[in-house]
Amino acid sequence: MLSPQLLIFSLISGLQLLSLAAGDPMIEVFRWKQMDFYNRGDGPLSLGGRKDRPSFSAPVVFPGKYSRRKRQVMTSRDTPVVINSRTNADDPNASYIPYNNVPMGATHFRGRLFVTMPRRRVGIPSTLNYIDLAEDGSVLSPKLRAYPNFGLNQFNASAENLVSVYRTSVDACQRLWFIDTGMLEYPNNRQQIRRPSIWVVDLATDQVLNRFDIPESIAETGRGLASITVDVKAGQCGDAYAYIPDLVYRRLYVYHLRNDRIWSFEHNYFNFDPLSGDLSIGGQTFRWDDGIFSITLGAQRPDGSRHVYFHPMASTNEFVVSNRVLQQESNAARSDHGNDFRVLGNRGPSTQSTMHAYDPGTGVVFFDEIQRNGVGCWKTSKPISAENYGSVDSNAMDMIYPSDLSIDEDGTIWVMSNSMPIFIYSTLDTDVYNFRIWKQKASLARRGTVCE
């Protein structure tokens, strides 16, 4: 018989082993019932405040002008007409309507956490924001600061200002990249008020380095441009390529910074899987047809190339193409791409994913899982399959609809969850926490999973 001391030691050791086997879950960093801002835009003009109302002189494109076909199934960017949206009672001239502010993206860089607020409703003070972790890192529900300043976020003040941003990306040259969709996605009144554009901001100076308007010949509207991935080597900052998925028109756009040119690829692998479009999230059941949604880059290969991993959201398959293929503009004009685009495999049932990101330190790709309300993983040295796909964390109560996942230069995963299906199809309870940001070291997140 074991002595009491040995029994206690055995129990503690067993618990430690169980903890190791379970891995290290995501850690909640911030949570909000409703989002708030340091500058809501409702103060006196001398303080930088202003009424955030549309300009009657601004160019307006009404829904349907660029539509190729009538859409029978909804994407993640649509609000059904049959839903009695709370926006029916909104003041169209209001600078800040708390309920309408639903965050979408979260990207960390050296003490600043960039948080995006796409203009899907009226009353959004600023679409691109950040949290200063040194000043507000210990606050449970910190207010957001407009980035790079409040004035640039006022879409109606100038044709050069930001309209609506979904997600951001930081490259190896310490620059912030994002797509401004140029679209106000108000229910029943979607307006393309200017061309969608690619922005590059120097994070050392907070100055805009480049803005490129995407021509109509490439993208009719900005409606499906919800993310951007940058392919560049440190020290070769001028020779950057950006990969932009179009979830609505199911295309992949490639932008070359040095030549200031953009081209478009089309492929069947960019389409949604009709067997994976039925979703049940946060008590809401619906059907989406989102095509190619997320792109992430693998490790540099011996020949200097990199794998470009991608997937549609309404799918459980993962695909790959070489960056060498994408960076050759002439390849985009080919009607037959041969074996350039390949199916890697299927992640398994209920693994539909919004964003995913590759961690070079572990060789693991981490996935936002919208059906499982969690984070999954796949070690790229193994074939992708249900058996080789792991679960890092899952929380159906708190991690409802993980909308963004990024990995910073220190190997920390950052995840945004925003309860968006409830916002779209029902009503958010403003007495509970609806929006959360999570983090975890990639090396710890994979521990105890098949991705180790």
Side-chain angles (χ1 to χ4, degrees), residues 199-419:
W199 292 60
V200 186
V201 180
D202 184 350
L203 289 171
T205 63
D206 299 327
Q207 297 299 307
V208 178
L209 298 175
N210 190 66
R211 170 182 169 170
F212 175 82
D213 286 347
I214 301 174
E216 187 179 327
S217 60
I218 294 292
E220 290 90 330
T221 73
R223 182 167 166 240
L225 311 184
S227 66
I228 186 169
T229 301
V230 185
D231 189 354
V232 66
K233 297 177 183 176
Q236 301 179 20
C237 300
D239 199 32
Y241 290 84
Y243 309 130
I244 305 152
D246 188 328
L247 66 95
V248 171
Y249 291 109
R250 292 87 180 245
R251 305 186 196 121
L252 193 163
Y253 308 129
V254 180
Y255 171 69
H256 189 202
L257 179 63
R258 173 170 293 165
N259 295 336
D260 205 32
R261 287 189 57 81
I262 191 169
W263 50 92
S264 174
F265 283 85
E266 295 193 17
H267 198 279
N268 286 340
Y269 294 167
F270 303 162
N271 292 321
F272 76 106
D273 179 355
L275 301 181
S276 299
D278 293 320
L279 303 172
S280 180
I281 304 170
Q284 311 301 311
T285 301
F286 49 93
R287 181 177 298 166
W288 282 349
D289 67 350
D290 290 28
I292 181 171
F293 200 94
S294 178
I295 292 172
T296 191
L297 304 174
Q300 185 170 310
R301 298 167 61 79
D303 64 358
S305 67
R306 302 178 75 179
H307 281 331
V308 179
Y309 302 110
F310 66 91
H311 60 251
M313 188 190 0
S315 173
T316 56
N317 292 311
E318 193 70 22
F319 304 90
V320 69
V321 63
S322 170
N323 65 347
R324 294 271 177 87
V325 172
L326 299 181
Q327 292 174 7
Q328 188 66 40
E329 184 177 356
S330 59
N331 287 336
R334 293 165 51 193
S335 59
D336 183 1
H337 292 287
N339 295 320
D340 286 344
F341 294 84
R342 296 182 289 112
V343 183
L344 278 177
N346 191 286
R347 300 186 297 270
S350 301
T351 58
Q352 290 92 334
S353 169
T354 47
M355 302 302 293
H356 65 338
Y358 172 79
D359 173 55
T362 60
V364 173
V365 176
F366 294 90
F367 297 77
D368 272 338
E369 298 178 325
I370 55 174
Q371 284 274 77
R372 296 179 176 179
N373 299 296
V375 176
C377 65
W378 163 57
K379 191 172 181 62
T380 55
S381 60
K382 301 178 181 179
I384 194 165
S385 65
E387 292 73 26
N388 291 330
Y389 185 80
S391 178
V392 171
D393 200 355
S394 181
N395 189 328
M397 290 295 295
D398 296 338
M399 202 181 293
I400 300 174
Y401 195 81
S403 60
D404 196 15
L405 185 151
S406 59
I407 302 177
D408 66 21
E409 61 185 353
D410 297 322
T412 299
I413 306 167
W414 295 82
V415 170
M416 167 74 76
S417 61
N418 67 2
S419 307

Side-chain angles (χ1 to χ4, degrees), residues 115-128:
V115 177
T116 55
M117 201 77 61
R119 285 190 164 106
R120 300 167 64 103
R121 301 290 190 275
V122 299
I124 313 295
S126 47
T127 183
L128 181 59

Side-chain angles (χ1 to χ4, degrees), residues 39-238:
N39 192 338
R40 299 175 177 176
D42 50 6
L45 293 177
S46 61
L47 297 179
R50 62 185 313 281
K51 289 296 182 183
D52 198 11
R53 59 170 64 93
S55 169
F56 291 106
S57 62
V60 175
V61 175
F62 291 97
K65 178 177 179 181
Y66 297 119
S67 296
R68 290 182 169 182
R69 59 192 180 280
K70 182 179 179 181
R71 302 192 66 81
Q72 300 296 334
V73 184
M74 292 177 52
T75 74
S76 58
R77 297 165 69 87
D78 293 323
T79 297
V81 177
V82 295
I83 295 297
N84 183 24
S85 172
R86 286 181 54 161
T87 57
N88 291 342
D90 287 344
D91 176 3
N93 295 325
S95 58
Y96 171 60
I97 301 175
Y99 183 85
N100 289 350
N101 286 264
V102 177
M104 189 66 63
T107 306
H108 174 255
F109 180 75
R110 300 184 183 179
R112 287 189 291 188
L113 185 61
F114 295 94
V115 177
T116 55
M117 201 77 61
R119 285 190 164 106
R120 300 167 64 103
R121 301 290 190 275
V122 299
I124 313 295
S126 47
T127 183
L128 181 59
N129 309 275
Y130 74 100
I131 298 168
D132 188 321
L133 298 184
E135 293 193 21
D136 295 329
S138 60
V139 179
L140 180 64
S141 306
K143 293 181 180 181
L144 303 183
R145 305 168 188 263
Y147 184 83
N149 53 64
F150 182 76
L152 193 63
N153 277 270
Q154 305 315 297
F155 66 87
N156 57 321
S158 167
E160 301 301 314
N161 287 359
L162 294 171
V163 179
S164 185
V165 178
Y166 270 76
R167 294 172 181 86
T168 59
S169 179
V170 175
D171 71 4
C173 299
Q174 302 175 26
R175 299 174 298 194
L176 187 73
W177 293 65
F178 53 89
I179 300 291
D180 178 2
T181 68
M183 178 175 281
L184 304 174
E185 296 182 77
Y186 301 160
N188 306 319
N189 189 27
R190 186 184 296 121
Q191 303 175 44
Q192 186 76 51
I193 64 172
R194 62 187 61 113
R195 294 305 308 155
S197 52
I198 302 169
W199 292 60
V200 186
V201 180
D202 184 350
L203 289 171
T205 63
D206 299 327
Q207 297 299 307
V208 178
L209 298 175
N210 190 66
R211 170 182 169 170
F212 175 82
D213 286 347
I214 301 174
E216 187 179 327
S217 60
I218 294 292
E220 290 90 330
T221 73
R223 182 167 166 240
L225 311 184
S227 66
I228 186 169
T229 301
V230 185
D231 189 354
V232 66
K233 297 177 183 176
Q236 301 179 20
C237 300

